[in-house]
Amino acid sequence: MPEKKHSKVLIIGSGPAGYTAAVYASRAMLEPILVQGIQPGGQLTITTEVENWPGDTEVQGPDLMVRMEAHARAVGTEIIGDHINSIDLSNRPFTAEGDSGTIYTADAVILATGAQAKWLGLPSEEKFKGFGVSACATCDGFFYRGQEVVVIGGGNTAVEEALFLTNFASKVTLVHRRDSLRAEKILQHRLFKNPKVEILWDHAVDEVVGAESPLGVEGVKVRHVKTGSVTEVPCKGFFVAIGHAPASELVKDQLETHMGGYVVTKPDSTATSIPGVFAAGDLTDHIYRQAVTSAGMGCMAALEAEKFLAEIEEAAEPEPAAEPAE
Ligand code: FAD
Ligand code: NAP
């Protein structure tokens, strides 16, 4: 028999949104269960310095997430290392199943499954994944000491990855499809003045090339998007940093989504199209996608779940008996 676990609030995801929801829901005495997923701590565990988390001029992403987890535990959240592989939102209590086989039921659900890295979709990218192609400089940068690497993308992630890689690589080439970056100005400034960085403006990557035995990257074929001219940039590592897509696979057929899969929430609220189901963080936010905004939405979701549960409890209470007529 699979193990069954019931909670008033089930929180799915352990990024800033999930842990903040857990802190608020625990302090509201809702005794939440939080299921961490395959990336405990979420996206910030694959970065280094975080410099815009209020209260910390600089904090390491993984350290911040360890502190958030400890905070959620300290106030009473039950944190479970499991991954939800299916969820049924058609009836209350809602039912979810974990990879462990555990069946979770809950009166309210807070979805905080965040986002995942996007890939270019090239067959050669797929072939060399794990053999020179990566979406995480923090995880893999160390392997490229004294070697040349290429990063593709023009947002905050690409610029941060490129800067981080200058700690190891002899040269970092940033390939971007336009002639200006969308990254924050302060990051751009650091990038432009770093002598190890070269920027290839107006270029796309067409193919990753490399050796067969042992399998390994040796370069990327890049194309000038205006002239069409193709050149090869030698490198041992190729880092894809072209953004993130919301992790809404679990619920996309049950909840309203938009803008490529982001879960739709009501204005000024984390309420989704199903009463009792709330969504917070990068799963729903196609605009800001920051740790602090995710945490803020986690707080909102817990407060809204608390109100929802109080309302259904009140509705379920029997009507007081009518006074007998004199
Ligand atoms: P995430 O952090 O994406 O966490 C999602 C969680 O959901 C994970 O724990 C995952 O395991 C879990 N999950 C997913 N699917 C399931 C499932 N089926 N079952 C159970 N669990 C599941 N923001 C900043 O403000 N400052 C920065 O300096 C900064 N740096 C960044 C650097 C990098 C490299 C990246 C990629 C992002 C950075 N961001 C930064 C953005 C920030 O990390 C995100 O905005 C934030 O982490 C989103 O939080 P979240 O809680 O919504 O989701
Ligand atoms: P992003 O801001 O969406 O940027 C993605 C970049 O990749 C863009 O420059 C885009 O080009 C490019 N791109 C997209 N698809 C491409 C393709 N198929 N081929 C080539 N290039 C492609 O994503 P992100 O940088 O991962 O950031 C995601 C969110 O996390 C943002 O909200 C960001 O602010 C946040 N974040 C914050 C920090 C921080 O605060 N320090 C750090 C990291 C991330 P165009 O510019 O032409 O669209």
Side-chain angles (χ1 to χ4, degrees), residues 250-270:
L250 264 185
V251 293
K252 70 177 177 23
D253 297 331
Q254 302 178 72
L255 294 176
E256 194 186 330
T257 60
H258 67 166
M259 317 280 293
Y262 289 91
V263 170
V264 174
T265 52
K266 301 211 162 81
D268 301 326
S269 165
T270 59

Side-chain angles (χ1 to χ4, degrees), residues 34 47 93 106 130 143 173 184 191 194 205 216 235-236 238 240 245 292 295 313 318:
L34 180 148
T47 190
F143 301 125
T173 305
E184 282 171 34
L191 187 82
N194 192 306
V205 169
C235 65
K236 293 289 181 191
F238 175 51
V240 180
V292 71
E313 210 168 286

